[in-house]
C-alpha cells in the first residue's frame, strides 16, 4: 500500500491523538488534521518525540465548507499518496440536557460539523483515496439508541455518519470503486468530549488507539462494517 500515509482529523487530542500515535508506532506516516495551530504543533512535537514520522498538519474546520475545499486541495498537493482517512473530529453538542430541552441551534451546529463537514471532507478526498486504493474509517457510535447514554444532537449526527458509510460502501462495491469504507465505535472512552468521564468499563485513549491500529493493520477487508472495539456492556 505504498508509503502508508494516514490523515487523522481531530488528531491534536483525545481519541484522534491516540489513533495517530499508535498508527505511527506501527509504521504509518501521519498527517494531523486540526483547527487550532497551537494545539496542532504541540501534538506534532509530542508525536515526533515518540519517534513517529509526522509529515505535517492541515488546518481543517469542519463547519467551514470553504476551509474544507482548501484543505482537500492542500492534501492532494502535499500528500498525493494518502491511503487512509480517519474521520475522527467532531463536537459533542450539549450532552447535559435531554432531547426536549435541546436547542435547535445545537442540533444544527452538531450536524453541520459531525455529518455535513465530515461528508464534505470525505467527498473531496474520495478521488485521491480511490487513486491509491485506500480506505476511510469513521469514528462513530451505534445508531441503535442506548438507554444509558443518548445525547440527541451527538447521536443523531453519528447516525447520519453511519448512514453515509453504509450507502457509500454499497455504491463503491456496485461501481467497483477501489475504496473501502467502514465505521469504528471505540466504546466508552475517557476524553474531554464527555467531560473526562471515567466509569467502570471505560477505556483510555492509549488502549483505544492501540486497538484501532491493530484493526487497521489486520489485513482484512471491512467494507461496510460497523466495528465495535469495546462494545457497551448492558447492565442486568
Amino acid at each position: 500500500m505504498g508509503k502508508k500515509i494516514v490523515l487523522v482529523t481531530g488528531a491534536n487530542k483525545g481519541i484522534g491523538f491516540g489513533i495517530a500515535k499508535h498508527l505511527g508506532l506501527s509504521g504509518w506516516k501521519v498527517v494531523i488534521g486540526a483547527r487550532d495551530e497551537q494545539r496542532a504543533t504541540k501534538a506534532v512535537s509530542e508525536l515526533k518525540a515518540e519517534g513517529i514520522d509526522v509529515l505535517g498538519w492541515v488546518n481543517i474546520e469542519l463547519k467551514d465548507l470553504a476551509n474544507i475545499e482548501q484543505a482537500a486541495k492542500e492534501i492532494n498537493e502535499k500528500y498525493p499518496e494518502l491511503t487512509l482517512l480517519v474521520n475522527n473530529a467532531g463536537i459533542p453538542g450539549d450532552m447535559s440536557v435531554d432531547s426536549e430541552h435541546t436547542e435547535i441551534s445545537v442540533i444544527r451546529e452538531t450536524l453541520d460539523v459531525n455529518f455535513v463537514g465530515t461528508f464534505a471532507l470525505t467527498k473531496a478526498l474520495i478521488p485521491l483515496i480511490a487513486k491509491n486504493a485506500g480506505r476511510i474509517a469513521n469514528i462513530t457510535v451505534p445508531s441503535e439508541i442506548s438507554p444509558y447514554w443518548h445525547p440527541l444532537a451527538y447521536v443523531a449526527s453519528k447516525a447520519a455518519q453511519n448512514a453515509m458509510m453504509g450507502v457509500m460502501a454499497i455504491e463503491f462495491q456496485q461501481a467497483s470503486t477501489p475504496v473501502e469504507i467502514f465505521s469504528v465505535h471505540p466504546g466508552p472512552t475517557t476524553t474531554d468530549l464527555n467531560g473526562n468521564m471515567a466509569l467502570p468499563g471505560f477505556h483510555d485513549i492509549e488502549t483505544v488507539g492501540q486497538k484501532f491500529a491493530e484493526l487497521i493493520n489486520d489485513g482484512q477487508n471491512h467494507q461496510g462494517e460497523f466495528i465495535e472495539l469495546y462494545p457497551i456492556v448492558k447492565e442486568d
Side-chain angles (χ1 to χ4, degrees), residues 199-213:
L199 298 174
F202 274 60
H203 296 87
D204 58 33
I205 62 171
E206 291 289 329
T207 303
V208 168
Q210 184 174 1
K211 188 89 167 180
F212 182 87

Side-chain angles (χ1 to χ4, degrees), residues 21-32:
K21 176 180 175 179
H22 286 278
L23 283 175
L25 290 173
S26 69
W28 285 80
K29 297 176 186 294
V30 176
V31 180
I32 300 294

Side-chain angles (χ1 to χ4, degrees), residues 36-55:
D36 181 274
E37 181 175 3
Q38 186 174 355
R39 289 200 296 262
T41 52
K42 181 175 181 288
V44 169
S45 296
E46 291 175 355
L47 291 170
K48 285 185 174 180
E50 296 276 355
I52 293 162
D53 189 352
V54 184
L55 300 180

Side-chain angles (χ1 to χ4, degrees), residues 97-103 107 150-153:
V97 296
D98 61 16
S99 57
E100 180 186 353
H101 298 96
T102 300
E103 298 290 340
I107 296 285
H150 42 255
L152 179 61

